Each structure stands twice: as C-alpha cells, then as structure tokens.
Amino acid sequence: MRVIMDGGRSVESHRSWLDIPLEIRGRLEAVSRFIDFKRGDSVWRVGDRPQGLFIVNKGLIGLSIIGNSGKEHLLRFCREGQFFGHRSLFADEVYNASAVVLEPTNLRFIPRLEVLQIFDEHPMFYQSVIKVLSKELRRAEMNHVMILEHQILSRTAQALVYLKDLHPHHRWTRQEIASFCASTTSTVIKALAQLETMGLVSQKGREIEILDRQALLALEGSRSPSDPVWV
C-alpha cells in the first residue's frame, strides 16, 4: 500500500458545501438525510453504483483504491464540509475507490435522482460544480509536484494516521509504513524522528504512538491547501 496524497486542514477545504448558492443548498438540505457511521465501516466499496451525493457533516473518511499490483493506495481524506462521490455520480460510473470511515462520522446524504433533478431546475448549480472540478484539477497537479519533490514528512504522517485508524492493534513496522508511502525505510525512519522532535509522535522500540493526531493530519509541506475530492 502507498499514500498518494492528503490535504491539510484548511479554511478553503471546508467551503465546498457552503460555496453552493443558498437557494440550491436549501433545496438539497430539504431532500437530504443524515447517516451515522462507526470507525471501520464502509460508505461504499469499489464497484458499487453511486446512490447519491455525500457531504461530511462530522468525522473523517479515507478514500483508497487497489492498484494493478494488488496493493491498496490511500488517495486522500475527506473532512467536515467536503463533498465526495461526485465524479462517479455525475459520470454515471461505478465507484473506482472505496470510502472507509476512519473515525465516528456523520454524513449528509442526498439521493441521486434528487441531485440530478435540482441540477436540471437550477443551471447555476453547474457553476459550483465547475469551480470544484477546476480546484480538483489544481489539486491533482500539486499532488504530482508533491510526489516529485518527495514531501515525505506529510506522507508519513498521513500514512501513520490512516494505518493506525484502520488497523489500531497492528504494530506497524517502519518498512511497512515505507511501503505504504512508496518510500524507503531509512527515509521513513528520518521522517518519524522529525515528527517525534516536533512532539507529534512517540517511539518506544517498534511501537509508534500518535500524540497529536490533528497536527499530523494538518501537515501540508510546501504545497497548496487541498480542495474537494471527486471520486
């Protein structure tokens, strides 16, 4: 498994729901419902058909795919106020990634037919969609730059949170974390040492303890803040 990217917590990344015009948002709210999930639940799995639109009201979602090698790749996290599941919904395709709940989460769910009907009735909604798609293209470009520049500190931090959340009882080795990050063991060891110096993790032998989960999630390196994800 390897990490491709995650965005840090930022003001911009929370605005996707609020960026929708008030009138349209009111219509969407009227036909939506809230669903609670426990850690480890799946919102959907690869190959499922989109049933509607999801917005994170509270909690944390991890989006992951299985590569041609059979390894799992973490795409990114979705946090409060972010859309996810859009791309497959509007493209009328099955999901190409799985959505896993990483902490107790409350999602706003809007059924597919309601979303499409509101689109037809309010063409201005398309402006919001174009804006999000444009930001997503920028995010993909910055993701490519991040990988080229080896932003290993944030990738290690995000991988550690993901692995610990998904498999809390497993004693993750530095080699396993490095494999997840598409990095080397020595590089991950250096990154963990830096995170420990920053007071974000504690290392005792093989054990790695997370001391400041939110700070790990907020690490961004030198790239721009993340934007809403389309899967």
Side-chain angles (χ1 to χ4, degrees), residues 66-186:
I66 305 297
N68 293 333
S69 65
K71 294 182 178 180
E72 183 181 6
H73 306 271
L74 174 64
L75 291 172
R76 60 176 286 132
F77 298 114
C78 294
R79 301 184 178 84
E80 180 181 339
Q82 289 186 316
F83 299 150
F84 65 104
H86 298 51
R87 194 202 62 77
S88 295
L89 174 65
F90 296 126
D92 194 23
E93 298 175 346
V94 298
Y95 291 119
N96 69 337
S98 295
V100 180
V101 179
L102 300 180
E103 63 183 42
T105 294
N106 178 263
L107 299 179
R108 182 188 292 274
F109 172 74
I110 307 168
R112 176 178 178 274
L113 292 179
E114 301 287 358
V115 173
L116 298 180
Q117 180 179 346
I118 292 172
F119 256 68
D120 290 338
E121 295 175 0
H122 298 274
M124 69 179 70
F125 196 178
Y126 286 101
Q127 296 178 9
S128 299
V129 175
I130 292 171
K131 182 178 180 180
V132 173
L133 280 171
S134 298
K135 290 181 177 180
E136 175 61 14
L137 287 174
R138 186 191 68 184
R139 186 200 64 80
E141 292 171 350
M142 294 307 299
N143 176 40
H144 181 64
V145 172
M146 182 193 71
I147 293 174
L148 291 177
E149 293 183 349
H150 305 292
Q151 299 290 336
I152 191 61
L153 189 66
S154 60
R155 286 159 57 197
T156 300
Q158 294 153 15
L160 188 59
V161 170
Y162 180 80
L163 294 172
K164 284 279 193 178
D165 279 354
L166 206 57
H167 306 284
H169 303 299
H170 182 75
R171 297 179 66 186
W172 294 100
T173 67
R174 278 70 175 167
Q175 183 177 358
E176 288 170 331
I177 296 171
S179 176
F180 194 96
C181 292
S183 184
T184 64
T185 303
S186 61

Side-chain angles (χ1 to χ4, degrees), residues 45-79:
R45 296 183 182 278
V46 173
D48 289 349
R49 277 279 173 190
Q51 299 300 313
L53 176 66
F54 291 93
I55 302 98
V56 180
N57 185 51
K58 181 181 179 181
L60 184 68
I61 301 293
L63 299 176
S64 65
I65 61 174
I66 305 297
N68 293 333
S69 65
K71 294 182 178 180
E72 183 181 6
H73 306 271
L74 174 64
L75 291 172
R76 60 176 286 132
F77 298 114
C78 294
R79 301 184 178 84

